[in-house]
Amino acid sequence: MAKVTDLVKRLLVGRALRSGQLHEQLLPKRIALPVFASDALSSVAYAPQEILVILSLAGVSFYSYSPWVAAAVVVVMLTVVASYRQNVHAYPSGGGDYEVATTNLGKNAGLTVASALMVDYVLTVAVSVANGVDYVGATIPFVGQHKPTIAIAIVVLLTVVNLRGIRESGAAFAIPTYAFMIAVLGLIVWGGFRTLLLHEHLQAPSAHFTIQPEQTNLTAFAAAFLVLRAFSTGCAALTGVEAISNGVPAFRKPKSKNAATTLLLMGLVAITMFGGIIALGLASGVKVAEPSVVAEDLLKPDGTPVGPGYYQQPIISQVADAVFGGGSVPFVVISAVTALILFLAANTAFNGFPVLGSILAQDRYLPRQLHTRGDRLAFSNGIIILALGACLLLWGFQADVSRLLNLYIVGVFVSFTLSQTGMVIHWTRHLKTETDLRVRHQMHRSRVINFVGAVMTGLVLIVVLLTKFLVGAWIVVIAMPVLFLMMKGIRRHYDKVAAELELTEDYEPSMLPARNHSIVLVSKIHKPTMRAIAYARATRPSTLEAVTVGVEGEEARKLQEEWERRGIPVPLKMLDSPYREITQPVLDYVKTLRRRSPRDVVTVFIPEYVVGRWWEHLLHNQSALRLKARLLFKPGVMVTSVPWQLHSSDRLIGRPEPFAPGAVRRPWHGTADRQERGPAS
């Protein structure tokens, strides 16, 4: 079973890598860009559309606000990118927002950032995969009918790829990400050329439709609130910016410089694609409505609704149709790479979440297992936990993008705001001691950038909470404190254990037990029992006795007679058990020995079978397991398992096995066996 499991693991994950090969897994900029930027780049597939969807609630006339909303999103993105370039230079260890907030604002602020990022990473995977399934489901009905199942299967596939290591996953995802960038940028360039230079009129498939507004005669406050809601939804384009600051250790040297350059490239490309799609969408007359009401609110030229049979193409597909023509090769390519990049956008979270989990585990806020690397030098446990969380969300929300998107970006703007506030304090602290004028000038500039970033992201956070709280963001507002309290509880546990185990001045290492009372548990007289007795005698305890529980009177009498007939040089004590219970009489007897001599220790030797098949575990050692579980909680009691390997456990058949005390477990047969095991003693 172990060999089969290992074979499957190697086929899926690949051969194990030595710790010394970690440098081989570091990423050059050309691979780091698709690894860490796929989330931010993929947002152009839905962020521009979501802006228009929210504005459509008040009718097509409100589309005139979309350029201003898009411009505001671009300004925020530029500010955040510039701010995070300061972060990667000041804190290159990979802690990112968590390290910045912890160092400058305190542990509670750091844990707030960590809980926000962990929630947002899980949502990144769920939203990206669900959106990708929507794109595929538009052309393949089977996928649309089984969205949650298909989405979960894709998460499992992404998990396996990431378990193979960051470099392999980066190489696998690089080509699709670059294909998406080239395709969308080519779409924008050719569409802009046709519109601005050739003065051609682009027409999207929905250009001749109109939208029936759900809200009319809006007050100034209501209109402003709707525009702010569109802005908060469009800010989904900023998700993923923080991933690079968390992944600086994965870059090749010079790490900070390469990370800052990659961050700048990502920001410029994302802004270009975001603004270009919005501009071409408006120029071509794209009309989109909320999926739940599109059949009634989207009207044909004759004023009748399009009806439930109408499929609303995503904004990129409509723009590609207008620029290249529906059904053309470029149109098909853009649709395909857009669906693919949405799946791969989840890879950003698969690289950010495990690193953050490792740092939190190192600081004792998460289980220590998250700090260790797996066979492929990836943080395997963190990858698996992220995948499980995303699968639960996809199953719970039935892979519905609209419902999942309402939970989105709250966490990321919490981390943005606290991180930039922490950076302002960071520069202020360093300015107090820095004397070099050139360095001080750079610090002043960095502080201004981070201050503007803190103010702007703080305002966006307020807008996001106000506009999204009642439609789903309240779930995140509850989840973050729950994670925060959980991590505080884990840290308290680890601190309590460390304090309990610490060597204090009054501890005397030379203090030895007065005596060692040893008992061997006996169920019947056979080879495992005799080996346990021999081993117990070899430890030379102060006293040694065999203990058995007399459940059936006749069997107990026969055991006593055989014990005496064989002349075993260890006294046998029979414990009475009128209720046919085995564990409790042994526990009571051990407690009696401890009360009699509190400074002594009691060592319990338990013979156990070692089996080789999973189903054999169900047939053996159950009493021993229950007894050990109870004895481990008794102070001053040592439990020693004495294994006896059955034939099914033999992993050395056909290999020479040197003779050693206790190695012989069955009779020899013939010369060949003697030659294999060595001379008899």
Side-chain angles (χ1 to χ4, degrees), residues 55 409 565:
L55 293 176
I409 79 172
R565 181 175 59 81

Side-chain angles (χ1 to χ4, degrees), residues 528 569-570 619 633:
V570 175
L619 306 178
F633 289 93

Side-chain angles (χ1 to χ4, degrees), residues 348-359:
T348 299
F350 274 105
N351 285 285
F353 182 94
V355 174
L356 176 62
S358 172
I359 294 170

Side-chain angles (χ1 to χ4, degrees), residues 231-255:
F231 167 72
S232 68
T233 304
C235 283
L238 276 74
T239 57
V241 173
E242 80 290 346
I244 290 180
S245 68
N246 292 331
V248 176
F251 284 80
R252 284 183 179 174
K253 295 180 180 180
K255 295 178 181 290

